[in-house]
Amino acid sequence: MFYACVRAVVAVCLRLFYRVKVNAPGAEPEGPVLFVGNHPNGLIDPGLVFIITRRPVTFLAKAPLFSLPVLGWLLKGLDALPVYRKQDDPTKMGGNEGTLDAAKGALLQGRAITIFPEGKSHSEPGLAELKTGASRIALSAAKEGAAVRIVPVGLTYAEKNVFRSEVLIDVGPAIEVASFLPSDAASESESVRALTDRIAEGLRAVTLNLEQWADLPLVQLAEQLYSFKQGQVLDAERLRLWARGVQLFRAREPERFEGVRAHLASFQRRLGLVHAERLKDLALVYRPGNVVPFVVKNLLSLILGLPLFVLGLVLFWLPYQVPRAVSRKVELDVQATVKFLTAFVLALVWWGGLTVAAGVWGGAWWAGLTFLAVPPLALFTLYFAERWDVLRRDIDVFFTLGSRVRLKSLLLSDGERLAAEVERLADEYRPQVDAAVRR
């Protein structure tokens, strides 16, 4: 019951904090499963596992977290297992044997475990070198007859420390551990290394895994241009293929790569100058038939929704600002964790405080009404703020480009030319990227 409540609350809160997209097979894996993920965002990463499976999951977490007042209580209540790291306390490293045995025991009972084999949260653009703990746990349980499968989970954040930014959870095909079992004791270390390499391969397939962060805007723009040329929507899977293609392109044709990169960067800067985010913004045609309904619909939304939005801003301004202020002084890879936990605790306190204040002011009836009204009002305020941001951008694009036919035409022409070049590169490098993915 405790686990189910925590899971439901965390899953809902994370969906409020981020715009979550999930790319996963239809059927959940059954039996003993080891979820392994990349680790770019502190305690947010294990929290996202609550979204991809309804199964109870045993988490492995670094030992110092268990001593924190609220978080430690939660981790113990979720039956998480402590991992003792040398950098935390070298004298407690021996405790890991008990942790590995407990993890193996969970798999033998047919349960699910989550582990992040990079061993630490980080903000690097690619995977860090994987530790062998996940492989040793899986092989140890498999040797005792458990049909263990390892499921790679890729977490790709648009802006991991930004409220209401996007995160993609990509679940890869399961890895059958039985095929990596050693034939004898002498080949055990070789099996551990082979399985660790296979896990790394699985994680690379579900993450962008860039060589440098400067490649991210390049990859995103290439996908935008390609999808525009093909008449398709943006696709997360293609985004990863672009990331691999960029690496191959840079390695094999560095001079040509730099030329294309410079053209793409220049085009992106020019899009920014006219406040357009996508190439299709340039292809918009403004006619009375589509402008008038747009204006009427959004004007009505503004008139009807603005009073509630203003009330929400007044009531929730402080609990919205405090987490942002608290998180500014911590490292990037834990900013979202600090922001999320602070917001979660403060929201509960604020909700209770508003309810009590309403009760003191107007009695039990007002207290009950406030208790019921605060969550939907908070959600509406969030929705309206997002809707207003989109509306403001659309208006900005209209006034910037609506009357500048020649400027829009020139940019669109340049964009279409670049899109054709990107399409040629995709056709040229597709066989090599496909071969790299299959390996």
Side-chain angles (χ1 to χ4, degrees):
M1 184 58 133
F2 178 81
Y3 180 93
C5 289
V6 172
R7 178 197 172 277
V9 170
V10 171
V12 168
C13 290
L14 282 174
R15 285 188 180 276
L16 291 175
F17 193 90
Y18 291 107
R19 297 196 305 274
V20 180
K21 294 185 177 180
V22 180
N23 180 18
E28 280 193 35
E30 298 179 351
V33 171
L34 188 61
F35 291 105
V36 294
N38 59 316
H39 203 7
N41 202 11
L43 292 176
I44 300 297
D45 298 335
L48 289 174
V49 176
F50 283 129
I51 290 174
I52 63 171
T53 180
R54 293 186 176 276
R55 297 182 58 179
V57 178
T58 299
F59 295 91
L60 275 70
K62 60 185 181 181
L65 296 177
F66 287 78
S67 61
L68 296 178
V70 178
L71 187 57
W73 172 76
L74 279 174
L75 289 172
K76 291 168 187 172
L78 294 172
D79 294 325
L81 300 173
V83 175
Y84 300 93
R85 305 184 306 172
K86 188 175 181 180
Q87 61 264 44
D88 296 325
D89 189 346
T91 64
K92 294 185 178 180
M93 292 286 290
N96 282 330
E97 291 303 319
T99 297
L100 293 179
D101 286 340
K104 179 184 75 172
L107 290 175
L108 289 171
Q109 294 168 23
R111 291 162 58 189
I113 292 177
T114 294
I115 189 170
F116 296 91
E118 290 173 289
K120 62 178 181 179
S121 177
H122 65 89
S123 295
E124 297 304 314
L127 282 174
E129 183 178 355
L130 303 192
K131 310 295 184 186
T132 59
S135 297
R136 287 189 287 133
I137 291 169
L139 287 168
S140 179
K143 280 193 289 187
E144 296 190 24
V148 182
R149 287 179 294 170
I150 296 176
V151 177
V153 179
L155 305 173
T156 303
Y157 298 85
E159 294 177 279
K160 63 184 179 181
N161 60 324
V162 176
F163 181 61
R164 297 306 294 164
S165 59
E166 186 176 298
V167 56
L168 171 68
I169 309 173
D170 204 350
V171 182
I175 301 167
E176 299 290 343
V177 176
S179 59
F180 290 88
L181 283 171
S183 54
D184 52 47
S187 60
E188 187 163 341
S189 61
E190 184 180 332
S191 294
V192 169
R193 176 44 55 193
L195 182 54
T196 301
D197 290 343
R198 178 65 185 85
I199 292 171
E201 180 185 328
L203 284 174
R204 281 193 291 270
V206 292
T207 57
L208 287 181
N209 198 40
L210 300 168
E211 289 183 1
Q212 54 192 43
W213 281 125
D215 288 344
L216 183 56
L218 175 65
V219 167
Q220 290 171 330
L221 182 57
E223 167 57 14
Q224 285 182 25
L225 293 169
Y226 184 81
S227 61
F228 177 83
K229 183 71 176 174
Q230 296 287 315
Q232 300 172 355
V233 297
L234 298 177
D235 183 82
E237 173 60 28
R238 271 204 314 266
L239 202 62
R240 288 192 297 275
L241 296 177
W242 281 114
R244 291 175 183 78
V246 163
Q247 293 174 14
L248 285 171
F249 188 26
R250 176 191 283 118
R252 298 184 182 185
E253 299 181 81
E255 290 185 7
R256 186 183 174 198
F257 168 82
E258 286 302 324
V260 172
R261 185 196 63 75
H263 288 151
L264 288 173
S266 172
F267 181 70
Q268 193 161 44
R269 282 194 299 272
R270 283 180 286 151
L271 278 181
L273 289 173
V274 297
H275 301 189
E277 292 182 2
R278 303 173 297 269
L279 184 58
K280 67 179 183 180
D281 288 339
L282 303 175
L284 291 173
V285 178
Y286 299 103
R287 297 189 179 94
N290 54 28
V291 172
V292 172
F294 171 82
V295 171
V296 172
K297 183 182 73 171
N298 285 287
L299 192 59
L300 286 174
S301 298
L302 187 63
I303 293 170
L304 296 176
L306 189 59
L308 283 177
F309 176 63
V310 171
L311 176 62
L313 282 181
V314 171
L315 290 178
F316 306 124
W317 183 85
L318 186 62
Y320 181 75
Q321 294 297 330
V322 169
R324 296 175 67 187
V326 170
S327 67
R328 283 183 187 138
K329 295 183 179 180
V330 300
E331 294 181 8
L332 181 62
D333 62 294
V334 293
Q335 276 187 14
T337 301
V338 172
K339 195 179 290 186
F340 175 80
L341 292 175
T342 305
F344 178 70
V345 173
L346 192 57
L348 294 178
V349 172
W350 200 256
W351 186 9
L354 290 175
T355 302
V356 170
V360 171
W361 177 72
W365 191 88
W366 275 101
L369 181 63
T370 301
F371 181 80
L372 295 174
V374 164
L377 178 60
L379 292 175
F380 175 80
T381 305
L382 177 63
Y383 164 79
F384 196 91
E386 287 187 348
R387 177 67 192 142
W388 177 248
D389 284 342
V390 172
L391 176 61
R392 188 170 53 187
R393 195 195 71 81
D394 288 345
I395 293 171
D396 207 9
V397 171
F398 172 76
F399 280 109
T400 305
L401 291 177
S403 60
R404 301 183 182 181
V405 178
R406 177 170 169 73
L407 172 61
K408 188 166 68 170
S409 176
L410 286 172
L411 276 174
L412 183 59
S413 176
D414 285 348
E416 288 175 337
R417 188 164 54 251
L418 271 174
E421 173 66 14
V422 164
E423 188 178 42
R424 283 194 296 273
L425 281 169
D427 291 340
E428 184 180 337
Y429 274 86
R430 184 177 289 113
Q432 300 167 61
V433 172
D434 289 345
V437 170
R438 285 194 297 269
R439 280 202 298 270

